[in-house]
Amino acid sequence: MVPMKKKFLKALLITMLGSVFLLVGCGKKTEPNMNELTLPVETEEEPEVEEELPEVNLHEGERQDLLTGQWVPEETAKKRPMAVMIGNTVDALPQYGVGEADVLYECPVEGGLTRLMAIFSDYTKAEKIGSVRSCRLYFAYFAKEYDAMYTHFGQAVYALDFLNSDQIDNLSGLDGSISSTFYRDSSRKAPHNAFTSPQGLDEGIATKNYRTEYDEEYTGHFLFADPDEDKIVLDGANAAVMRPGYPIDKPWFVYDKDTDTYKRFQYKQAHIDGADDKQLSFTNVIFQNMDYEVIDQKGYLEFNTVGTGTGKYFTGGKVVDITWKKEDINSPAIFYDASGAQLKMNPGKTCVCIIETASVDNISIYASENEFEAPQP
């Protein structure tokens, strides 16, 4: 019995020692090596910086056209404009090329009639221009305000000295040296059958050796807003329809919301260009009131283009009062708003109606087209 007891005690002792070793092994902790330990480093968050993009010139190689304020290639913007006298009687209708004009002047002449002067940045867009009529001195002054070459077929005697001077470059249908500049349309009766063309104008300019780019010191007649910015909205009265009050052609303008332009009418119908039957329309219309006098028994007029005066500016269906000032015969008339700042205009085509100061009361402005009764053809 003794040997069996010894074996049992021995086995029990071995089991107890194994348990002790197991407990010691499970409770053992490993100390970290401080040299190998990497602690998180606290850093301040840097603010996000927006990357500055280089400025992009959307109109590199372009400039604003001095007649319209639109962006055009620099070489185009340098080109000197052409002003052409246009007949405006019933026998002269339809006129050709007037729809391509960037600026159109209408001004009274003798007998209550008016005559037009079309000013082109690029006359090559009009294949046929006319009928070309004779000069009145004040029209030549208007052309000079734009540093424009001036085309006419004859002239009133009062304009002869100015036209023969070196103050204005002009092409006259009575000048035999440039006879190829003009041609006669056999479908019209004289004096409403004289026309010119881009080729004819080019030949006349070359023969006369006229300057074909703007004078370096010329800065323009109008001040235009940037075409890329929002359109100018006048803080003025509504002007859906307006009439300058000329007694013979009785023109009027109607604001078209769809095109944001004023469409022109005269002689009881739409004023169209015979080249394409399209109606003339303008972003800007200016009524420029001007002193004048009758200078002979034939009724020839003379307008005081130098000095100051009043007027109205129409754009976007609105109208505001303006003033104008012209320093001398070599300067353009500058228009000013009610604050006295130079008038800023919307880019686009402009029609300027010269109105005799004695006839200012004949101007009519209608806030709504419903208030206006159009003359019936």
Side-chain angles (χ1 to χ4, degrees):
M1 293 294 294
V2 175
M4 289 295 293
K5 188 176 181 179
K6 286 182 179 179
K7 288 181 180 180
F8 174 78
L9 291 173
K10 187 177 180 180
L12 181 60
L13 180 61
I14 291 171
T15 301
M16 291 174 65
L17 288 172
S19 299
V20 170
F21 285 126
L22 181 61
L23 290 170
V24 172
C26 290
K28 185 179 179 182
K29 294 183 179 179
T30 305
E31 295 292 330
N33 186 340
M34 299 303 292
N35 293 327
E36 296 179 358
L37 186 62
T38 302
L39 298 175
V41 179
E42 291 188 6
T43 57
E44 293 184 4
E45 291 188 7
E46 294 186 10
E48 292 184 7
V49 179
E50 292 186 7
E51 184 180 353
E52 290 187 9
L53 298 175
E55 241 183 72
V56 178
N57 182 2
L58 298 177
H59 299 286
E60 185 175 357
E62 294 183 324
R63 278 172 32 186
Q64 279 186 276
D65 184 271
L66 293 181
L67 293 189
T68 67
Q70 302 286 3
W71 292 111
V72 295
E74 286 187 3
E75 290 306 310
T76 302
K78 292 179 182 178
K79 290 183 179 178
R80 194 177 180 196
M82 175 63 75
V84 183
M85 291 299 302
I86 305 289
N88 196 38
T89 60
V90 173
D91 294 338
L93 301 180
Q95 300 141 336
Y96 285 80
V98 287
E100 296 295 344
D102 298 293
V103 178
L104 185 72
Y105 268 72
E106 182 170 22
C107 186
V109 290
E110 54 280 359
L113 294 168
T114 65
R115 196 155 287 184
L116 306 180
M117 183 176 72
I119 308 178
F120 303 87
S121 286
D122 182 5
Y123 56 79
T124 63
K125 294 180 180 179
E127 295 181 3
K128 179 180 182 180
I129 304 174
S131 61
V132 183
R133 294 302 309 274
S134 60
C135 162
R136 300 295 180 269
L137 181 58
Y138 41 94
F139 275 106
Y141 290 159
F142 295 145
K144 188 173 175 60
E145 293 186 21
Y146 294 84
D147 191 33
M149 294 173 280
Y150 179 57
T151 298
H152 55 102
F153 206 104
Q155 63 283 317
V157 64
Y158 305 103
L160 197 56
D161 287 344
F162 183 72
L163 294 172
N164 287 338
S165 72
D166 59 359
Q167 297 184 71
I168 187 167
D169 293 337
N170 67 102
L171 303 173
S172 173
L174 300 183
D175 184 346
S177 70
I178 56 168
S179 57
S180 62
T181 296
F182 303 89
Y183 67 93
R184 297 285 184 177
D185 182 339
S186 59
S187 67
R188 298 282 188 95
K189 293 181 178 180
H192 311 292
N193 60 350
F195 291 83
T196 189
S197 65
Q199 181 181 354
L201 292 171
D202 285 342
E203 291 176 1
I205 293 168
T207 299
K208 293 293 187 178
N209 195 28
Y210 286 152
R211 170 171 52 87
T212 57
E213 292 189 351
Y214 277 111
D215 186 284
E216 292 181 357
E217 297 182 359
Y218 184 73
T219 57
H221 192 289
F222 302 123
L223 174 64
F224 289 104
D226 188 330
D228 296 332
E229 297 177 353
D230 293 337
K231 282 183 173 280
I232 295 171
V233 178
L234 298 181
D235 184 17
N238 290 333
V241 183
M242 63 276 196
R243 306 180 69 171
Y246 302 134
I248 304 297
D249 62 330
K250 298 180 179 178
W252 72 95
F253 300 83
V254 177
Y255 179 62
D256 182 357
K257 291 182 180 179
D258 293 336
T259 62
D260 197 23
T261 61
Y262 279 101
K263 294 187 178 299
R264 180 181 160 85
F265 298 77
Q266 64 170 7
Y267 290 111
K268 300 182 179 181
Q269 59 189 348
H271 189 176
I272 66 166
D273 187 325
D276 55 16
D277 290 334
K278 290 184 178 180
Q279 187 173 8
L280 274 62
S281 62
F282 303 90
T283 300
N284 308 294
V285 178
I286 292 175
F287 288 179
Q288 185 178 359
N289 306 326
M290 192 172 291
D291 291 335
Y292 75 105
E293 59 181 326
V294 180
I295 55 178
D296 66 10
Q297 293 181 348
K298 294 181 179 180
Y300 280 100
L301 306 177
E302 184 57 54
F303 282 85
N304 299 328
T305 62
V306 176
T308 60
T310 59
K312 294 185 181 296
Y313 171 54
F314 303 84
T315 192
K318 297 281 188 176
V319 58
V320 292
D321 291 329
I322 59 174
T323 58
W324 62 270
K325 182 177 182 180
K326 180 177 167 69
E327 296 286 353
D328 53 53
I329 202 66
N330 296 311
S331 305
I334 303 298
F335 298 98
Y336 300 91
D337 61 23
S339 72
Q342 185 172 354
L343 179 69
K344 185 174 283 190
M345 297 166 48
N346 280 314
K349 294 185 177 184
T350 300
C351 183
V352 180
C353 298
I354 304 297
I355 298 172
E356 302 162 337
T357 50
S359 301
V360 168
D361 289 343
N362 294 333
I363 295 173
S364 301
I365 302 173
Y366 302 85
S368 168
E369 192 172 349
N370 294 331
E371 299 175 9
F372 172 71
E373 185 175 349
Q376 297 302 310

